[in-house]
Amino acid sequence: MLIDTHCHLHDVESFPDPGEEIRKAREAGVERIVVVGVQPSDWTAAVALADRHEEVYAVVGWHPNYTAAYERGSLEGLAEFLRHPKVLALGEIGLDYHWDYAPPSIQRQALDDQLELARDLSVPVVFHAREAYSDLLDALEAFGPHPFLLHCFAGEEEDARRGAALGCYFGIDGPLTYKKADDLRRIVGTLPRDRVVLETDSPYMAPVPFRGKKNTPAYVACVNQALARLWSVPAETSAQVTTENAIRFFGERLRTRCR
């Protein structure tokens, strides 16, 4: 009944035994796990994990923090990965002004090039934004309608309004459970319910009561419980809604084990 739409389970340093984490996720009701590769060597690892496990699918793209090494010539290889049957979308791409790993100009070039690739291949796109929502949304508004997902959404009210107007989906994860996250909960409460999906971004940002520990896909159940409380619905209802949203965004390939 649950899908973790964004995690890094293929990170061998954090998850030396991903099979065990998948088993724990199943026990928690997590039927599908989407792993996200953020640069070329990571694409290989993400897709290899997806190939080994029926429950796992992949998303691949140039994360903005890795784009110092970006070259347009890499798009041919990225396109090949995007044609793989276990790859669902292009991502996580976008803009990050918090860290100084890549110049904004290079980040923007990689963003624009990858958006064009997504349009050419008709694949959905997953975005990363940190201290950069305004510029990212400017780019998406200029690009035009396309299936977009704002991963780990942490924007302001105006960012939520603009994203909703674009038809974006919104990834919600551990911070929704944090004691001081009242503003985030208020904003998430305004999002269209048919555009909200669940994620962990594990191994990062574990939800309460596991905050401060390594996050894992099984903990998406905690995020679902927090969302159910926010929506004032049973956890089964929020699970069903977010699962159907994820399938609508990523495609029917996710449905088999979610019936």
Side-chain angles (χ1 to χ4, degrees), residues 50-79:
D51 275 338
R52 291 198 302 272
H53 298 277
E54 180 187 1
E55 301 88 346
V56 179
Y57 283 79
V59 169
V60 295
W62 277 101
H63 187 294
N65 288 340
Y66 292 85
T67 54
Y70 170 73
E71 296 179 351
R72 279 181 169 166
S74 67
L75 294 180
E76 183 176 347
L78 178 56

Side-chain angles (χ1 to χ4, degrees), residues 18-32:
E20 176 63 10
E21 300 301 335
I22 293 169
R23 183 191 66 78
K24 293 176 182 177
R26 282 180 183 166
E27 291 180 352
V30 182
E31 297 282 354
R32 283 288 193 249

Side-chain angles (χ1 to χ4, degrees), residues 111-223:
L111 170 64
D112 291 344
D113 290 349
Q114 290 179 100
L115 282 172
E116 289 299 330
L117 179 63
R119 178 150 55 194
D120 290 345
L121 297 181
S122 298
V123 295
V125 186
V126 178
F127 293 97
H128 169 102
R130 190 165 184 185
E131 299 175 15
Y133 278 101
S134 181
D135 283 358
L136 176 62
L137 288 163
D138 284 348
L140 302 189
E141 288 166 351
F143 184 76
H146 195 86
F148 296 144
L149 192 164
L150 300 174
H151 144 68
C152 189
F153 183 71
E156 302 295 333
E157 289 182 47
E158 178 64 7
D159 304 320
R161 184 197 65 77
R162 292 175 69 188
L166 279 166
C168 292
Y169 288 71
F170 299 84
I172 306 302
D173 43 18
L176 188 71
T177 71
Y178 295 171
K179 183 177 180 181
K180 297 182 179 180
D182 289 336
D183 286 346
L184 175 62
R185 283 186 284 272
R186 176 176 52 78
I187 293 169
V188 169
T190 71
L191 299 176
R193 294 191 181 185
D194 65 347
R195 297 284 167 162
V196 174
V197 299
L198 301 176
E199 59 175 69
T200 61
D201 203 19
S202 53
Y204 315 109
M205 298 186 300
V208 174
F210 304 102
R211 189 176 184 184
K213 299 179 181 179
K214 180 176 68 178
N215 202 359
T216 184
Y219 296 166
V220 79
C222 300
V223 182

